[in-house]
Every structure is written in C-alpha cells, then in structure tokens.
C-alpha cells in the first residue's frame, strides 16, 4: 500500500511455485478503503487462491464470488480485492504462455489508443489558473481534457467534491459554469472537454447546469447522478443534450446489466481495478457492444492501472478513449511504482499498444520496500 502524493495505490505481486510473477491493483487509491482492500486481498488469497492452479482464472474468480458471501451485492472493497487477484492471475498466465495479456482477451483490435488528460489541473492554485494549465496541456499534444466543474482543487492536487448534493452552497453551479466557459475560451472550438460531475448535485440542478453549458460543446458528462440512483440517470438523460458516461462506482457485469437495460447511458467506464478485473471488464464491454454503447476504462491509481487498461482497451472493439494522468509527478510525494511505466511513451495524446509479455512491466521494488502491508500495520 503505497503513499503517493495524496493517493494510496494497493498493489498485489503474486508469485507461483515456479517463480512466475503476476501483478494486480485494487483501484481504491483515492478516497478511503485501501487498508480494507489490502486485508480483503489477504483473506481471499488464503481461502481461495493459495495452492490453486493459476491458469484456472474463471474458476478462482467464481469461487471468490460465491464463497466470500459479501461479493454478491458487494462494493469496492471486495471487488477491488477480487480485481487485483484476477489481474495478477491473468498476468501470470500471459507470462507463462509468453504472450501479451491482450492476447487472452481475444487479441489486439487497436494498434494505438486515443487518450484524454486528467490531472492536468495539478498545480492550480484556484479556478483562475485553469485556462493557462489547459492551454499548456493542449500544447503537450492532448486534444481532450476532463474537468471537474463542481470540485475545489486542493494544494495536494486532490479534489474536494461538494457535500450534501451542493445544497449548502448556492454558488456551486454558477462557479462551475464560469470554469467551463473559461477553459473553452482558452482552448477554442477544437479540443474536447469532458465534465466529471461525480454525482455532486441534485438531478434538477444537474439538468440546469448541463443546459447552461450546452454552448461550450461538451463531449460528455460523467457521473451526473449518484451511483445508487439509476432512475435519476433516466431523468437527467431525458433533460440534457450531452452524452452520459458512468461506471467507476459500479461493479461486475451484474451491476452494469440494469444500467444498460435502462438505456440512459452512452459510455461505460468500468474500472478494471474494482469492477472484478480485466476479464470481467471484457465481459462488461461485450454487453455494452450489444447495446450500442461505447466503453473506456476508468483509470485513477498507480501506473500499473494504466498499462492494464492499455491491454483491455487494445482488445475492445467498442473502445472510445482511455483516461490518462500525465502529470502525477507534479504532486509532492508522488511515488513511481514501476520500472517501465507506459506514461513516458504517450505521444500526441496517443498511448501505444506494446507487445511485451504479460502486462509488460515490473515493480520498482527499491521504491516500495517500506510499503509492504501487514495486517497489524
């Protein structure tokens, strides 16, 4: 469990008896829950994984789902742990077979992946800095940026989202519209702007906001409603013109099933580190394809999560854009967990699809010696 500039990535390194290593990550790096996910990984490994054939990924996943009891109807802790284990098993299998992990998902569909920049606002002191930082990001080659219009940007680069659905601050919507307007004015009509609303306001206020920013050509709005309120998505979808993206707080194919059936969503964003894993994400993407819905993996953890998402996206026919944080190193205390991260190879807003075996990365163990998690820590 790594302390890394305001986030706490939870990374699993799993080793077989013949020395083959697989990596996975429980994507609860931001917010709370890392310690709980680490403990859940340990319990699941002890009960369902140690001593098993690592090639039997589906059998192990199903046993974790059926025998943990809390996975049925569960949330980010149990599914984050299951994701880390499943990802590590897939990595082990791909390395043993000496193929890239995307070959286990059906093979490469895309040779390069369009990406959008998140975290480009790291270093901003207040909303007045957003236009300048947005311009610099486009100058770095990104033609798509995600903005959190309702959030307060903290000095650490982390975000503070509005509480109580913004009802205690009547200026939240006004400030948000002004922020979007300033970024669009700075960038001009070309670059894409996506808005992550994080379920921050009530549905009626969200609809009002989305109508007020129509003129700024928003590519999509993300999480316009609380994840526990799927009916609000239908209300919002019928009241706004922008496409809707949802998924980072929805888990497994079972959680996405009713979401797709409601037909209020245009883009699914499963996080492969908390929705059940990379194979589970592939099943979700296949369901989305049947409904004519685009898919892009949610990414907000360590560099390991980025490269795992690269393998998923490369093999997904209905892939849209991949989330990417190019500026983590601006944050004081940031720790790079990999010897060979993919981020430095991103050029002109495009992630290359690499053909190294497994996920193609190794842990930077010298940076992680003090980060080993124990139950009593």
């Amino acid at each position: 469990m790594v302390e890394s500039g305001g986030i706490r990535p939870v990374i699993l390194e799993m080793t077989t008896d013949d020395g083959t290593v697989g990596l996975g990550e429980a994507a609860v790096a931001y917010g709370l829950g890392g310690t709980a996910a680490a403990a859940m990984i340990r319990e699941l490994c002890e009960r369902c994984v140690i001593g098993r054939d690592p090639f039997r990924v589906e059998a192990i996943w199903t046993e974790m789902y059926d025998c943990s009891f809390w996975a049925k109807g569960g949330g980010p802790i149990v599914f984050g742990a299951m994701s880390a284990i499943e990802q590590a098993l897939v990595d082990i299998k791909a390395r043993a077979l000496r193929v890239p992990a995307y070959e286990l998902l059906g093979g490469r569909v895309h040779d390069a992946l369009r990406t959008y920049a998140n975290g480009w606002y790291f270093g901003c002191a207040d909303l007045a800095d957003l236009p300048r930082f947005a311009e610099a990001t486009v100058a770095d080659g990104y033609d798509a940026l995600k903005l959190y219009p309702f959030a307060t940007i903290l000095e650490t680069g982390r975000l503070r989202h509005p509480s109580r659905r913004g009802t205690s601050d009547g200026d939240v919507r006004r400030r948000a519209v002004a922020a979007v307007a300033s970024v669009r004015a700075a960038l001009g009509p070309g670059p894409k702007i996506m808005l992550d609303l994080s379920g921050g306001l009530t549905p009626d206020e969200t609809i009002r906001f989305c109508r007020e920013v129509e003129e700024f050509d928003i590519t999509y709005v993300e999480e316009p409603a609380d994840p526990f309120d799927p009916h609000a998505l239908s209300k919002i979808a019928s009241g706004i013109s922008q496409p809707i993206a949802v998924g980072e707080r929805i888990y497994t194919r079972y959680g996405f099933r009713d979401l797709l059936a409601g037909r209020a969503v245009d883009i699914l964003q499963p996080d492969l580190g908390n929705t059940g894993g990379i194979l589970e994400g592939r099943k979700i993407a296949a369901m989305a394809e049947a409904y004519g819905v685009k898919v892009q993996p949610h990414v907000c953890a360590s560099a390991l999560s980025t490269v795992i998402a690269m393998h998923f996206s490369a093999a997904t026919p209905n892939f849209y854009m991949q989330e990417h944080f190019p500026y983590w190193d601006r944050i004081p205390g940031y720790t790079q967990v990999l010897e060979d991260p993919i981020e430095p190879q991103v050029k002109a807003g495009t992630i290359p699809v690499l053909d190294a075996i497994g996920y193609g990365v190794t842990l930077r163990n010298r940076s992680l010696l003090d980060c080993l998690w124990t139950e009593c820590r």
Side-chain angles (χ1 to χ4, degrees):
M1 187 163 59
V2 185
E3 297 291 343
S4 181
I7 62 172
R8 302 176 77 195
V10 179
I11 296 170
L12 172 64
E13 182 181 61
M14 186 181 292
T15 308
T16 69
D17 54 4
D18 70 357
T20 305
V21 172
L23 302 177
E25 180 163 4
V28 289
Y30 53 100
L32 300 176
T35 303
M40 183 64 75
I41 288 173
R42 177 172 178 163
E43 288 195 47
L44 287 171
C45 282
E46 289 175 343
R47 179 174 297 189
C48 303
V49 182
I50 295 174
R52 298 290 297 276
D53 177 357
F55 271 36
R56 300 185 65 178
V57 183
E58 287 283 2
I60 293 172
W61 195 97
T62 301
E63 184 170 337
M64 290 190 293
Y65 182 77
D66 288 338
C67 298
S68 64
F69 188 83
W70 297 109
K72 294 186 177 180
I77 303 306
V78 64
F79 289 128
M82 288 174 61
S83 298
I85 292 168
E86 187 250 49
Q87 290 172 349
L89 291 171
V90 170
D91 195 20
I92 286 170
K93 189 168 186 174
R95 293 190 195 205
L97 296 173
R98 302 197 62 78
V99 297
Y102 58 69
E103 296 291 0
L104 304 186
L105 306 179
R108 183 190 297 200
V109 177
H110 310 285
D111 295 325
L113 308 172
R114 184 177 185 183
T115 185
Y116 67 86
N118 201 341
W120 55 272
Y121 43 80
F122 291 164
C124 289
D126 53 42
L127 293 178
D129 289 335
L130 287 175
R132 176 168 56 88
F133 277 67
E135 288 178 313
T137 304
V138 171
D140 281 346
Y142 293 93
D143 66 354
L145 291 75
K146 182 192 283 187
L147 172 65
Y148 297 79
F150 301 149
T152 301
I153 302 171
L154 305 178
E155 291 181 0
T156 60
R158 298 169 69 184
L159 302 174
R160 176 180 292 140
H161 299 286
S163 61
R164 298 182 296 278
R165 304 291 182 89
T167 53
S168 62
D169 185 351
D171 290 332
V172 166
R173 201 182 76 252
R174 177 187 57 78
R175 290 196 302 268
V177 173
V180 176
S182 69
V183 171
R184 176 53 80 195
L187 298 184
K192 294 181 180 296
I193 297 175
M194 290 81 73
L195 303 180
D196 191 338
L197 310 188
S198 299
L201 302 186
T202 56
D204 60 318
E205 288 291 288
T206 299
I207 291 171
R208 290 181 65 187
F209 167 77
C210 290
R211 289 176 177 174
E212 288 172 325
V213 298
E214 276 186 346
E215 63 182 291
F216 305 122
D217 188 23
I218 303 306
T219 300
Y220 62 76
V221 293
E222 180 176 337
E223 274 203 321
D226 189 294
F228 271 133
D229 192 359
H231 296 293
L233 280 178
S234 298
K235 176 179 179 179
I236 293 169
S238 65
I240 69 174
S241 63
Q242 299 93 342
I244 290 176
V246 170
E248 73 186 83
R249 290 187 276 194
I250 299 172
Y251 314 107
T252 77
R253 74 202 91 150
Y254 306 109
F256 282 90
R257 176 185 56 203
D258 292 342
L259 189 66
L260 287 165
R263 292 194 176 273
V265 177
D266 304 285
I267 303 162
L268 292 191
Q269 299 172 297
D271 192 311
L272 307 175
N274 66 34
T275 199
I278 190 170
L279 297 178
E280 188 68 10
R282 188 67 185 85
K283 295 171 185 177
I284 293 166
M287 292 167 58
E289 189 176 12
Y291 280 87
V293 171
K294 304 169 187 173
V295 172
Q296 57 186 39
H298 175 265
V299 176
C300 184
S302 80
L304 177 59
S305 67
T306 307
V307 76
I308 291 173
M310 179 271 289
H311 283 270
F312 166 84
S313 300
T316 300
N318 49 332
F319 164 75
Y320 184 37
M321 284 190 288
Q322 182 162 316
E323 187 164 20
H324 173 50
F325 282 79
Y327 305 115
W328 274 124
D329 56 3
R330 290 180 185 169
I331 303 298
Y334 169 72
T335 299
Q336 176 55 261
V337 305
L338 298 180
E339 294 286 0
D340 37 15
I342 197 172
E343 281 83 352
Q345 300 185 58
V346 176
K347 305 296 181 186
T350 301
I351 297 176
V353 176
L354 307 181
D355 58 2
I357 66 170
Y359 297 135
V361 294
T362 55
L363 290 183
R364 181 174 288 182
N365 288 316
R366 66 182 183 274
S367 300
L368 306 177
L369 293 177
D370 295 331
C371 301
L372 294 178
W373 180 87
T374 60
E375 191 170 8
C376 60
R377 184 169 177 175

